[in-house]
């Protein structure tokens, strides 16, 4: 290549120079405001305060001679001064605060209102002292020219009214209020009077209200300013609660009727909302003869009036349906339903023909109001189902529900997704009608809609699977083939977004799937995906959620070969993974295994792989294992697991002797103390561990049942190929007498070798299979949301009869001995499958195998990870 000509080189250098000059000019411009903001020596001198002054003296000085910002700081610190020295604060500082507030600006006024309210809430002084010292200051600034300041002082006063005695209220507030509410006063003064009157009614009896407050209320309801009439109208609900039903009918209801015909739309709207809120106060005659005609007229005129009235009307439709239920005639009922349907599609029929950038502002504003109306209709949809009766849903409301679920606006679909569970409950056995809408919302392009739907996804899927009936029936989701693709697509869409909390929540809710779909469907469509998330996702809460759900899938998997494969993957790819991050996740998984499975399961498969991580080259892994060791030790039973206890003690000794990392060594020492304090669980039941042992036994029984059911199903499938096998099975089952309850003389612990006649016949196994068919449903029924106990009392009651016939011989006869009860002094047995698991092929001699420690991430990275062991 030839070098560029000199002219080009000169041009390049000049451009570069000009670019540097522009950058320097920008830096100069940025630096100028900084220089101007510096204080001069004179200003610094004025802001300097003697450090030897006490808090009280400093506050007095700053309020007297300081600047506004210093005075504001003192007032903000007033609650602290009241706690520290209330007497001196009231004597010396509060008079200064009164003087400053008379000429104070907005910021100082707002700060004072908040400080006065804080002092009241903290009860720094008695109510009498507070009223004497602070009440007059609050009343003085109620009519401040700034609306924000006035509202702040009003909120403080309304809170003070709650605690003041009646006499103080009468003399200090109610009596002056008579003059403040007159027409000669300002609009702001009358508005403040309306809100104070609404608060005072809860402090006086009905007679005092009728004599002293109601005349003022009537006067303000007839005020010449629509703002005052509207404000007083909204306080009538509080007043009605204070005066009782009779006075409400004779005084409040006529005022509301008159205000509902007011010329001001805001006044009519306030009257309508107050009437709706007071529906329960009126009897049936008042509702049918007075309120229903008003509601009817309001609905008819709403489309001709301002859209804001439509927003309020659509929001209160649910209350109207509840309050007027049983009063509508069939014709009125139909017309009201048609009115609701019209609101649900409001704005969808209009085609303006403009692009989004060319829509006039007024049209955009109108469309926003229409969206709010449809959103409110979605919010009230469960109430409308009750209104039409769930039996009539398909004919009267299904098309409307379809439109709301397919609404083009996200807020509408988000709201109907929130209500989906309530709709499902109301439809009960008719829940199958909205299967397609569930799929639609699961596939929604907006993650906000998905996030709203999955809050109650387990309950929704349970209702779908049982047809809305409480009794466990044949799974009905087989008629919904799109469910599993929709669930997997929803998870992938959440994983691809930046909203990891939605992804985490969705993975947590997938723990309900063993109750909903078959074990094979979970294995082939979900389980491997959970494992991939644990291995590859970068968000720790998401990884933990996937790990926990994976453990639950494994817990309820019904095939021995699939269980062995998952366990082997967990040990080899996580516990012995090259990345220290995967080994940390293996320890998280071990913690979930301890929580969800029985002690024998953990000791058989995960005990040795877990303690082998004491030799891990990464300090964070060893530290996390130290925190887990107490839970690991809690899974052991003496004397059956004495050899495992010895291995645990040997690993802890090695850590104490060989650990070089000071943080890990300190953690090991604390863990050793905790391990020494722990009491070991025995094979036989102990009183102090009774509940935990009973829960663990139920977990073990359920695991045994899973294996037994798998074996019986295999035998039944083999017999299905033979002629008359089903009849033979049924005949043998009828001939076999199997007890349905546990005899009283049978101990609660898992039975060991029995001297009785072994019961290994196919007839008894078939009988057990029939009695345990509800395992997949009842064992997990209503427990997916709280798996801290893994098997609750309801599942205990369900399985006690099913295991009543179990003996040691029947357990040994299974092809899978992986969940076999441990005998005293026996070592964990090996797998019976063709592919041995790494955890069972290791002894104590190879526990320090370099493979299990990993070879990739040998740098500890303690500084970044020790805070999250």
């Amino acid at each position: 290549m030839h070098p560029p000509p000199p002219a080009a080189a000169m041009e390049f250098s000049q451009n570069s120079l000009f670019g540097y000059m522009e950058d320097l000019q920008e830096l100069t411009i940025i630096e100028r405001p900084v220089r101007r903001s510096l204080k001069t020596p004179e200003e610094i001198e004025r802001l300097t305060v003697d450090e030897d002054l006490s808090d009280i003296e400093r506050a007095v000085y700053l309020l007297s001679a300081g600047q506004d910002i210093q005075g504001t700081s003192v007032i903000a610190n007033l609650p602290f001064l009241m706690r520290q020295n209330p007497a001196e604060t009231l004597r010396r500082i509060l008079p200064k605060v009164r003087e400053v507030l008379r000429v104070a600006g907005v910021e100082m006024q707002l700060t004072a209102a908040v400080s006065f309210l804080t002092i009241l809430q903290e009860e720094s002084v008695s109510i009498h002292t507070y009223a004497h010292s602070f009440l007059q200051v609050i009343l003085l600034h109620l009519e401040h020219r700034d609306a924000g300041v006035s509202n702040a002082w009003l909120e403080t006063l309304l809170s003070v009214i709650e605690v003041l005695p009646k006499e103080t209220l009468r003399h200090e507030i109610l009596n002056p209020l008579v003059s403040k509410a007159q027409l000669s006063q300002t609009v702001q003064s009358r508005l403040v009077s309306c809100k104070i009157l609404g608060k005072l009614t809860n402090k006086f009896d009905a007679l005092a209200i009728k004599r002293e407050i109601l005349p003022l209320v009537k006067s303000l309801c007839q005020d010449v300013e629509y703002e005052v009439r509207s404000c007083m109208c909204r306080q009538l609900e509080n007043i009605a609660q204070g005066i009782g039903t009779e006075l409400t009918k004779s005084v409040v209801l006529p005022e509301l009727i008159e205000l509902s015909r007011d010329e001001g739309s805001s006044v009519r709207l306030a009257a309508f909302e107050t009437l709706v809120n007071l529906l329960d106060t009126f009897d049936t005659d008042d509702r049918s003869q007075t309120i229903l005609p008003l509601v009817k007229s309001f609905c008819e005129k709403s489309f001709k009036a301002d859209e804001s009235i439509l927003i309020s009307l659509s929001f209160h439709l649910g209350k109207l349906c509840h309050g007027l239920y049983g009063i509508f005639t069939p014709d009125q009922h139909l017309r009201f339903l048609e009115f609701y349907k019209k609101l649900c599609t409001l704005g969808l029929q209009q085609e303006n023909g403009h692009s989004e950038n060319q829509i006039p502002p007024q049209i955009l504003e109108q469309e926003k109001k229409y969206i709010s109306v449809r959103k409110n209709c979605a919010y009230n949809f469960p109430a409308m189902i009750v209104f039409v009766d769930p039996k009539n849903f398909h004919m009267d409301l299904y098309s409307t529900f379809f439109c709301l679920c397919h609404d083009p606006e996200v807020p509408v679909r988000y709201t109907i997704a929130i209500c989906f569970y309530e709709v499902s409950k109301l439809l009960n056995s008719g829940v199958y009608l909205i299967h397609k809408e569930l799929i639609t919302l699961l596939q929604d392009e907006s993650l906000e809609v998905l996030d709203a739907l999955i809050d109650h996804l387990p309950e929704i899927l349970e209702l779908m699977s049982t047809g809305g009936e409480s009794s466990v029936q044949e799974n009905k989701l087989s008629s919904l083939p799109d469910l599993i693709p929709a669930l997997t697509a929803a998870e992938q869409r959440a994983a691809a977004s930046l909203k990891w909390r939605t992804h985490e929540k969705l993975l947590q809710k997938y723990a309900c799937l063993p109750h909903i779909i078959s074990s094979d469907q979970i294995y082939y469509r979900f389980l491997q995906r959970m494992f991939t998330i644990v291995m590859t996702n970068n968000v720790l809460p998401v990884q933990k959620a996937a790990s926990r759900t994976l453990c639950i899938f494994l817990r309820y998997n019904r095939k021995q070969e699939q269980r062995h494969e998952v366990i082997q993957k967990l040990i080899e790819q996580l516990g012995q993974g090259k990345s220290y991050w995967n080994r940390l996740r293996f320890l998280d998984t071990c913690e979930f295994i301890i929580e969800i499975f029985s002690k024998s399961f953990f000791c058989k498969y995960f005990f040795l792989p877990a303690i082998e991580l004491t030799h891990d080259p990464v300090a964070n892994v060893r530290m996390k294992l130290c925190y887990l060791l107490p839970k690991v030790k809690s899974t052991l039973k003496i004397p059956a697991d004495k050899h495992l206890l010895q291995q645990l003690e040997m690993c802890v000794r090695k850590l104490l002797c060989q650990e070089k990392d000071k943080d890990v060594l300190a953690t090991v020492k604390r863990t050793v103390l905790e391990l020494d304090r722990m009491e070991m669980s025995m094979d036989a039941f102990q009183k102090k561990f009774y509940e935990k042992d009973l829960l663990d036994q139920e977990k073990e029984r359920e695991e045994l049942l899973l294996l037994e059911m798998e074996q019986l199903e295999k035998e039944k499938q083999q017999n299905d190929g033979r002629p008359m096998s089903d009849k033979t099975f049924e005949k043998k089952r009828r001939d076999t007498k199997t007890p349905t309850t546990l005899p009283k003389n049978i101990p609660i612990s898992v039975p060991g070798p029995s001297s009785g006649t072994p019961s290994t016949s196919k007839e008894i196994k078939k009988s057990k299979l029939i009695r345990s068919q509800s395992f997949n449903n009842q064992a997990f029924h209503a427990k997916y949301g709280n798996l801290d106990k893994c098997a609750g009392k309801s599942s205990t009651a369900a399985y006690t009869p099913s295991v009543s016939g179990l003996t040691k011989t029947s357990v040994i006869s299974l092809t899978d001995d992986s969940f076999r009860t441990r005998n005293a002094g026996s070592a964990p047995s090996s797998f019976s499958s063709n592919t041995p698991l790494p955890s069972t092929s290791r002894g104590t001699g190879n526990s320090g195998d370099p493979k299990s420690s990993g070879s990739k991430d040998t740098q500890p990275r303690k500084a970044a990870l020790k805070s999250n062991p």
Side-chain angles (χ1 to χ4, degrees):
M1 294 181 61
H2 299 285
M10 179 63 69
E11 183 180 355
F12 174 77
S13 60
Q14 288 177 351
N15 291 338
S16 300
L17 180 61
F18 291 147
Y20 294 145
M21 292 295 294
E22 290 176 359
D23 293 341
L24 290 174
Q25 289 177 358
E26 290 179 2
L27 289 174
T28 305
I29 293 172
I30 293 174
E31 207 171 332
R32 282 174 187 169
V34 177
R35 291 177 179 175
R36 290 176 181 175
S37 65
L38 296 177
K39 301 296 182 183
T40 62
E42 293 79 7
E43 291 174 327
I44 294 175
E45 182 66 25
R46 287 199 303 269
L47 292 172
T48 303
V49 181
D50 188 358
E51 295 181 359
D52 296 332
L53 294 176
S54 65
D55 291 340
I56 300 294
E57 293 172 343
R58 185 184 301 109
V60 172
Y61 173 77
L62 291 176
L63 287 171
S64 302
Q67 296 188 3
D68 287 347
I69 188 172
Q70 293 174 316
T72 303
S73 175
V74 171
I75 293 175
N77 204 36
L78 201 59
F80 170 76
L81 296 174
M82 287 294 298
R83 291 193 300 270
Q84 189 182 51
N85 194 342
E88 286 298 303
T89 302
L90 292 175
R91 187 177 69 85
R92 300 183 60 186
I93 298 178
L94 194 59
K96 293 288 183 181
V97 171
R98 293 196 192 102
E99 294 178 8
V100 170
L101 286 178
R102 291 177 180 175
V103 293
V106 172
E107 184 178 357
M108 187 178 292
Q109 289 276 356
L110 294 175
T111 305
V114 174
S115 293
F116 281 26
L117 181 59
T118 303
I119 293 171
L120 174 71
Q121 293 170 344
E122 292 180 353
E123 300 179 357
S124 302
V125 293
S126 65
I127 296 301
H128 176 76
T129 304
Y130 188 92
H132 177 74
S133 304
F134 294 92
L135 183 58
Q136 290 302 321
V137 181
I138 297 172
L139 293 172
L140 180 65
H141 297 284
L142 275 179
E143 299 178 27
H144 194 277
R145 59 183 178 274
D146 185 273
V149 172
S150 177
N151 288 332
W153 285 113
L154 178 61
E155 290 301 321
T156 302
L157 177 62
L158 296 180
S159 298
V160 173
I161 289 175
E162 290 285 348
V163 297
L164 289 179
K166 287 184 180 181
E167 289 304 316
T168 305
L169 289 173
R170 189 184 302 276
H171 291 96
E172 300 292 340
I173 297 178
L174 183 57
N175 291 341
L177 203 63
V178 176
S179 60
K180 296 290 184 182
Q182 300 300 318
L183 286 174
S184 58
Q185 299 294 324
T186 63
V187 173
Q188 183 178 350
S189 175
R190 303 203 298 275
L191 289 173
V192 169
S193 300
C194 292
K195 295 179 181 179
I196 294 176
L197 285 173
K199 199 71 173 180
L200 285 175
T201 52
N202 295 325
K203 303 295 292 184
F204 294 95
D205 54 36
L207 183 61
I209 294 173
K210 182 179 180 181
R211 186 177 64 250
E212 301 180 36
I213 294 180
L214 285 184
L216 293 176
V217 171
K218 290 182 179 180
S219 172
L220 291 169
C221 284
Q222 305 297 327
D223 197 277
V224 295
E225 297 292 336
Y226 75 91
E227 296 173 343
V228 178
R229 298 196 301 274
S230 175
C231 183
M232 191 67 253
C233 184
R234 293 191 181 278
Q235 299 302 319
L236 290 179
E237 181 182 353
N238 295 329
I239 293 171
Q241 294 173 356
I243 62 179
T245 305
E246 294 301 323
L247 281 176
T248 299
K249 290 177 61 177
S250 60
V251 178
V252 175
L253 184 57
E255 293 293 337
L256 283 173
I257 293 173
E258 185 174 353
L259 290 171
S260 66
R261 302 188 182 100
D262 196 276
E263 60 185 7
S265 61
S266 62
V267 181
R268 296 196 303 271
L269 181 61
F272 170 75
E273 293 178 354
T274 305
L275 274 172
V276 173
N277 293 331
L278 291 175
L279 276 176
D280 294 337
T281 307
F282 305 118
D283 55 27
T284 305
D285 292 338
D286 290 329
R287 294 182 200 175
S288 60
Q289 298 174 9
T290 305
I291 298 177
L292 183 58
L294 285 176
V295 171
K296 181 181 176 182
S297 174
F298 202 86
C299 293
E300 291 174 350
K301 296 178 181 179
S302 58
F303 283 100
K304 302 176 183 178
D306 184 23
E307 284 80 6
S308 59
I309 297 179
L310 277 177
I311 295 175
S312 176
L313 179 60
S314 62
F315 180 75
H316 290 90
L317 277 175
K319 287 184 178 179
L320 279 175
C321 292
H322 175 72
L324 299 177
Y325 188 78
I327 296 177
F328 287 110
T329 63
D331 181 61
Q332 291 171 339
H333 187 281
L334 181 60
R335 292 177 65 182
F336 195 80
L337 179 61
E338 292 299 324
F339 175 75
Y340 171 76
K341 291 181 180 179
K342 187 175 181 180
L343 290 181
C344 288
T345 58
L346 187 65
L348 296 180
Q349 302 87 353
Q350 298 180 358
E351 295 291 340
N352 48 46
H354 299 284
S355 64
E356 187 173 352
N357 297 329
Q358 297 175 346
I359 300 177
Q362 60 271 20
I363 300 297
L364 281 175
E365 189 65 27
Q366 186 183 54
E367 288 184 356
K368 290 180 180 178
K369 292 179 180 179
Y370 288 163
I371 293 171
S372 298
V373 170
R374 300 201 303 273
K375 177 183 175 182
N376 291 338
C377 288
Y379 169 76
N380 285 294
F381 193 84
M384 295 307 298
I385 293 180
V386 177
F387 182 69
V388 302
D389 196 314
K391 296 178 181 178
N392 301 321
F393 169 79
H394 187 266
M395 182 175 60
D396 292 338
L397 283 176
Y398 175 75
S399 59
T400 303
F401 186 68
F402 178 87
C403 290
L404 292 173
C405 291
H406 291 82
D407 195 278
E409 299 298 332
V410 171
V412 181
R413 303 197 305 274
Y414 173 83
T415 307
I416 201 64
I418 292 177
C419 299
F420 200 94
Y421 174 51
E422 293 297 326
V423 173
S424 302
K425 284 197 302 184
L426 290 170
L427 292 181
N428 199 13
S429 60
V431 70
Y432 67 91
L433 294 170
I434 57 174
H435 279 180
K436 293 182 179 178
E437 282 63 42
L438 173 63
I439 302 301
T440 298
L441 294 177
L442 282 172
Q443 296 175 338
D444 196 280
E445 59 184 9
S446 171
L447 280 180
E448 294 179 10
V449 177
L450 178 63
D451 188 82
L453 182 67
I454 61 179
D455 282 334
H456 292 286
L457 185 62
E459 295 87 347
I460 293 170
L461 293 179
E462 182 186 358
L463 289 170
M464 293 281 185
S465 64
T466 61
E469 300 175 11
S470 58
S471 60
V472 179
Q473 297 180 346
E474 183 182 355
N475 196 306
K476 298 184 179 180
L477 286 181
S478 58
S479 61
L480 194 61
D482 295 334
L483 176 64
I484 293 178
L487 289 172
T488 55
E491 187 277 322
Q492 291 171 1
R493 200 162 62 255
S497 71
L498 297 178
K499 298 183 178 181
W500 63 264
R501 289 182 176 85
T502 299
H503 193 199
E504 178 194 14
K505 187 197 301 186
L506 185 61
L507 295 176
Q508 291 170 346
K509 300 300 181 181
Y510 277 3
C512 74
L513 292 181
H515 177 56
I516 306 299
I517 58 180
S518 70
S519 176
D520 281 340
Q521 288 174 319
I522 291 176
Y523 178 78
Y524 290 110
R525 301 301 299 271
F526 294 97
L527 199 146
Q528 182 57 41
R529 177 59 181 166
M530 296 300 112
F531 194 84
T532 302
I533 293 172
V534 175
M535 292 286 294
T536 61
N537 198 279
N538 296 324
V539 182
L540 181 58
V542 173
Q543 285 183 306
K544 288 189 174 182
S547 177
R548 183 182 177 86
T549 302
L550 173 63
C551 292
I552 295 169
F553 289 168
L554 177 62
R555 170 70 174 80
Y556 293 97
N557 187 284
R558 300 181 62 174
K559 290 191 176 180
Q560 168 192 350
E561 183 180 352
Q562 294 175 359
R563 284 194 299 271
H564 286 179
E565 180 185 346
V566 176
I567 293 171
Q568 187 171 357
K569 278 187 175 182
L570 287 173
I571 294 172
E572 291 182 351
Q573 298 185 31
L574 286 182
Q576 300 170 354
K578 293 182 179 180
S579 170
Y580 81 100
W581 190 254
N582 288 342
R583 301 196 295 276
L584 287 173
R585 299 293 71 78
F586 175 74
L587 293 176
D588 289 331
T589 306
C590 286
E591 191 170 357
F592 295 139
I593 292 289
I594 294 172
E595 178 186 353
I596 296 170
F597 288 80
S598 65
K599 295 178 180 180
S600 61
F601 181 91
F602 176 81
C603 289
K604 186 167 189 60
Y605 298 122
F606 293 94
F607 186 92
L608 293 179
I611 64 174
E612 281 177 3
L613 291 178
T614 54
H615 307 286
D616 196 278
V618 179
N620 285 88
V621 178
R622 301 194 301 274
M623 180 179 288
K624 188 173 183 69
L625 175 63
C626 291
Y627 286 111
L628 186 63
L629 285 179
K631 291 185 177 181
V632 172
K633 184 178 179 181
S634 68
T635 64
L636 301 178
K637 289 184 179 181
I638 299 300
D641 297 322
K642 187 176 181 180
H643 63 290
L644 294 180
L645 179 60
Q646 292 173 351
Q647 293 190 39
L648 176 64
E649 291 174 348
M650 182 177 63
C651 290
V652 174
R653 289 194 198 100
K654 286 184 179 179
L655 279 175
L656 281 172
C657 298
Q658 301 175 7
E659 182 58 54
K660 297 180 181 179
D661 187 277
K662 61 178 182 178
D663 296 325
V664 178
L665 185 59
T667 306
V668 172
K669 292 179 180 179
R670 290 194 300 267
T671 304
V672 168
L673 295 176
E674 185 176 353
L675 291 173
D676 288 341
R677 289 193 298 266
M678 289 181 62
E679 296 187 28
M680 295 295 297
S681 178
M682 309 296 290
D683 281 339
F685 270 36
Q686 295 174 278
K687 187 175 181 180
K688 63 178 69 176
F689 300 119
Y690 180 80
E691 292 184 2
K692 293 182 179 179
D693 288 345
L694 185 62
L695 178 61
D696 183 67
Q697 186 191 55
E698 289 306 319
K699 293 178 184 178
E700 197 163 344
R701 284 180 175 179
E702 291 168 11
E703 292 162 0
L704 288 167
L705 274 174
L706 276 173
L707 299 174
E708 197 170 48
M709 290 168 63
E710 178 187 1
Q711 176 65 15
L712 293 174
E713 287 170 358
K714 287 181 179 179
E715 293 181 6
K716 189 175 185 300
Q717 289 175 2
Q718 293 173 0
N719 284 295
D720 283 343
R722 304 172 187 174
M724 302 296 291
S725 63
D726 284 339
K727 294 182 179 180
T728 304
F729 257 66
E730 290 301 318
K731 182 177 183 298
K732 290 183 178 181
R733 186 183 65 82
R734 287 194 301 269
D735 294 340
T736 304
K737 303 297 183 182
T738 306
T740 57
T741 57
L742 278 175
K744 294 182 180 179
N745 58 349
I746 295 181
I748 300 178
S749 59
V750 178
S754 175
S755 60
T757 304
S759 176
T760 58
S761 64
K762 295 180 180 178
E763 295 86 345
I764 293 181
K765 292 181 181 178
K766 179 67 176 178
S767 175
K768 291 175 185 174
L769 175 60
I770 293 171
R771 286 184 286 105
S772 58
Q773 284 297 321
S774 62
F775 177 79
N776 245 9
N777 292 320
Q778 291 180 356
F780 212 66
H781 182 63
K783 299 296 178 187
Y784 42 77
N786 182 15
L787 283 167
D788 296 333
K789 295 185 178 180
C790 300
K793 294 181 180 179
S794 62
S795 60
T796 301
Y799 294 118
T800 301
S802 301
V803 197
S804 60
L806 279 181
T807 63
K808 187 64 180 176
T809 308
S810 65
V811 174
I812 294 176
S813 67
L814 302 178
T815 58
D816 182 8
D817 64 343
S818 57
F819 297 112
R820 188 178 301 164
T821 309
R822 290 169 285 152
N823 296 324
S826 64
S829 59
S830 59
F831 283 104
S832 60
S833 62
N834 295 330
T835 306
L837 295 185
S839 63
T840 58
S841 62
R842 293 192 209 95
T844 57
N846 64 349
S847 60
D849 189 354
K851 181 182 178 183
S852 65
S853 303
S855 57
K856 182 178 179 181
D857 300 318
T858 56
Q859 296 300 323
R861 293 176 61 184
K862 289 189 301 180
L865 292 167
K866 275 182 186 173
S867 60
N868 186 18

